[in-house]
Amino acid sequence: HSSPDESEDQDLISGFLRIVDKVWFLKCQHIISCIRQGIMCLVLFFQNHIIYCHIVTGGSNHANDRNKWAFSFNVCDLRSITVKCEGWSCITFRLKDGTALPAIHFHQGGSTAFLDSLRKLVQINESPDDENVLIVSTYSRAFSQSFENLLDDTNYGFVQKFKKDPYTTTLGGFSKVTNYLFDAFRVPELEYHQRPAEEEEPGFEVITRLDLGPRPEVQRRGPVAMEEWAKYQDSEGRITNVPHLKDVIFKGGLCHAVRREAWKFLLGYFPWNSTHEERKLLQKRKTDEYFRMKLQWKSVSEEQEKRNSRLRDYRSLIEKDVNRTDRNNKFYEGLDNPGLILLHDILMTYCMFDFDLGYVQGMSDLLSPILFVMENEVDAFWCFVSFMDEMVMQCPLCTFLCLCGFTEAQDSGYLYFCFRWLLIRFKRELHFQDVLRLWEVMWTRLPCQNFHLLVCCAILDSEKQKIMDRKYGFNEILKHINELSMKLDIEEILIKSEAICMQIKNCKDLPHSVSEILGLNTVTEPSAALETSEYGILESPQTSPRSTHRQDHVISNGHSHLKESTHNGCKVAFIS
């Protein structure tokens, strides 16, 4: 009512109320960091409910009514609700800061249904002092039930299991939570699709679609052999025409005989423009540095280690992981294998190099191929350091979960099944030799930033139709994806990944957010050295991973359309 009194000439302002669910995926990078460090982190989702009062304006006399009478507030800010009956129901909201919002009069009923809907989200109790006043407590039943599901009797050993295997336990435990939260929080599909455009809530942007056109055909070539590699070195050993060399490595990979030397350049251990003599001096200096760090943990006595729980825990976890890493590979098979000893010593030394990170499960999987190729403790260590610098800096799961568009129609639990892919770079999904090929291709940083995320998209693109046709939920998707292990064709994946990238680049109206994700048309600092290749401007090979800012975003694969939307103030993009 336009006036709080009961004057006969007051206006009746029509409108409606809406309770809106808003759910954010909270601090994914922090969560993954916690998981990597062996810390159990339970808070995955944050639920927010907003009540909007929309005003329907009727004529010119009420042109300003929308701005004057419309309001919205967060349910967690609501302190009480006053309900009165004056021939019809009247509701007044009072916020925690004391603000009383305009009274809402339900002339045609509906107040009871509204309060019943609100009771599903918060606790509402009658005030002991006033029977007309309802006290609101922002108690989240969804959170309570989700964590009860997680920590019920059947999952009593969750914490113990988490310490032994954080990856498997996290996925197994949280599959219940994510399935419940999806059902509890998401807007009903019918309501979402039928909502008129003019009723969109503030802070949301209508999703638009762009035609990407056909996916181009891609051809790959054979690997770079030793003779071809030698042609890229001058008389003093400097690597020449680096952009073209990276192109051919990306297109075909490397023969195994070339890897031991080439990986040192690709990983940044050797500068591309260094001479033979400069590299010898670098190796000597790095050898001394390595053995100084190794001596630090080697010289710790048993008495000292008893009082150093952190080092003791690192050693215990490393010994367990090393004993089960690639034992079918001849380089690591058998008892007292020298390869296992090197694997153990490098990982222990890395704990001295990076005290903050130390050792977390999965590092042995990342080191194993590098040590296999280098066959040298020191070289393997410094290449591993460069790899870990890049891995720690990149934490793409959150973006990948937000941007993979085909899961809109599936209860995929935000694609947690991709966690292992990204955490250990497909190490357990591919045969060992295929891992070597994939990694050296990714280390060229072609044809775009975050190419490993397009590799995820290529795998999902191959399985998308099957998953959607069978209407898999989270657990079914997880099982299906895990069963792909050792059945993937690396050449087919690389062809499709590159084709997806080219398809996106050919889009004339590519959204800025997607350009940022893939590092397309990015502005480079004037002082930075630039390279050019058939794929455009690349980052300088001399730029260290720690000093290079990289966008940890990804887009999903697709065939014909790209979408972009702004949701809760965070712009995301995906291809359907």
Side-chain angles (χ1 to χ4, degrees), residues 86-325:
E86 304 171 348
W88 59 79
S89 296
C90 172
I91 290 179
T92 303
F93 301 107
R94 185 174 294 275
L95 306 183
K96 291 178 180 178
D97 62 3
T99 301
L101 298 174
I104 305 296
H105 298 262
F106 292 80
H107 287 269
Q108 299 178 0
S111 61
T112 301
F114 173 78
L115 291 175
D116 287 344
S117 297
L118 194 57
R119 283 189 176 94
K120 296 177 182 178
L121 311 175
V122 293
Q123 279 188 320
I124 299 178
N125 301 309
E126 290 186 3
S127 170
D129 303 322
D130 188 339
E131 63 180 8
N132 294 324
V133 176
L134 301 175
I135 305 300
V136 178
S137 300
T138 52
Y139 161 83
S140 175
R141 297 182 182 180
F143 276 121
S144 175
Q145 288 181 258
S146 65
F147 291 120
E148 286 171 7
N149 288 339
L150 180 63
L151 300 174
D152 61 11
D153 291 340
T154 60
N155 288 312
Y156 182 75
F158 180 86
V159 176
Q160 298 303 320
K161 293 177 183 177
F162 187 93
K163 291 180 179 179
K164 294 180 180 179
D165 191 347
Y167 166 74
T168 303
T169 309
T170 299
L171 292 181
F174 282 116
S175 64
K176 291 185 177 182
V177 181
T178 54
N179 283 343
Y180 178 84
L181 291 173
F182 261 53
D183 292 337
F185 291 172
R186 66 181 178 185
V187 178
E189 185 175 350
L190 183 63
E191 176 185 342
Y192 177 82
H193 289 293
Q194 291 183 350
R195 182 177 297 173
E198 61 270 14
E199 294 181 9
E200 290 297 326
E201 313 305 341
F204 289 84
E205 180 180 317
V206 178
I207 294 175
T208 57
R209 300 171 69 88
L210 296 175
D211 186 2
L212 287 179
R215 185 172 293 171
E217 293 186 4
V218 170
Q219 298 294 327
R220 289 184 58 77
R221 51 154 283 169
V224 176
M226 184 62 76
E227 296 79 10
E228 186 175 6
W229 171 262
K231 293 178 181 178
Y232 286 92
Q233 298 187 42
D234 66 15
S235 58
E236 294 184 323
R238 297 182 185 88
I239 305 298
T240 60
N241 201 357
V242 174
H244 188 266
L245 175 58
K246 285 187 176 182
D247 283 344
V248 296
I249 294 175
F250 174 79
K251 282 291 190 179
L254 298 161
C255 287
H256 190 71
V258 182
R259 284 176 174 143
R260 187 180 304 177
E261 183 176 3
W263 278 24
K264 297 170 188 175
F265 292 95
L266 290 171
L267 284 166
Y269 176 35
F270 285 171
W272 293 95
N273 61 352
S274 61
T275 64
H276 290 303
E277 291 302 317
E278 289 169 341
R279 293 196 287 272
K280 286 181 182 179
L281 293 175
L282 175 65
Q283 282 183 300
K284 183 179 184 304
R285 187 172 73 252
K286 289 296 186 179
T287 299
D288 293 341
E289 186 177 351
Y290 172 79
F291 283 106
R292 281 198 302 270
M293 290 186 291
K294 184 174 181 177
L295 184 61
Q296 292 175 359
W297 64 267
K298 279 280 192 179
S299 60
V300 174
S301 67
E302 291 185 7
E303 288 298 317
Q304 287 178 302
E305 191 165 319
K306 287 180 182 178
R307 292 183 289 272
N308 190 333
S309 60
R310 194 173 185 182
L311 181 62
R312 191 169 61 248
D313 290 344
Y314 285 155
R315 187 191 296 273
S316 175
L317 190 55
I318 289 171
E319 288 175 353
K320 290 178 182 177
D321 283 0
V322 164
N323 285 329
R324 58 191 180 193
T325 299

Side-chain angles (χ1 to χ4, degrees), residues 447-460:
C448 60
Q449 287 184 179
N450 297 313
F451 181 69
H452 59 286
L453 300 175
L454 292 184
V455 173
C456 292
C457 296
I459 298 173
L460 295 180

Side-chain angles (χ1 to χ4, degrees), residues 211-216 247 250-251 445-451 454 497-511 514-515 517-522 533-538 555 558 562 575:
D211 186 2
L212 287 179
R215 185 172 293 171
D247 283 344
F250 174 79
K251 282 291 190 179
R445 295 176 175 82
L446 294 174
C448 60
Q449 287 184 179
N450 297 313
F451 181 69
L454 292 184
S497 303
E498 184 182 358
I500 291 170
C501 184
M502 293 174 63
Q503 183 185 18
I504 295 167
K505 287 184 177 182
N506 292 336
C507 178
K508 296 180 180 179
D509 300 312
L510 190 66
V514 178
S515 297
I517 287 166
L518 297 180
L520 308 177
N521 302 320
T522 54
S533 75
E534 66 172 284
Y535 295 105
I537 295 178
L538 310 174
I555 65 171
L562 179 132
I575 298 175

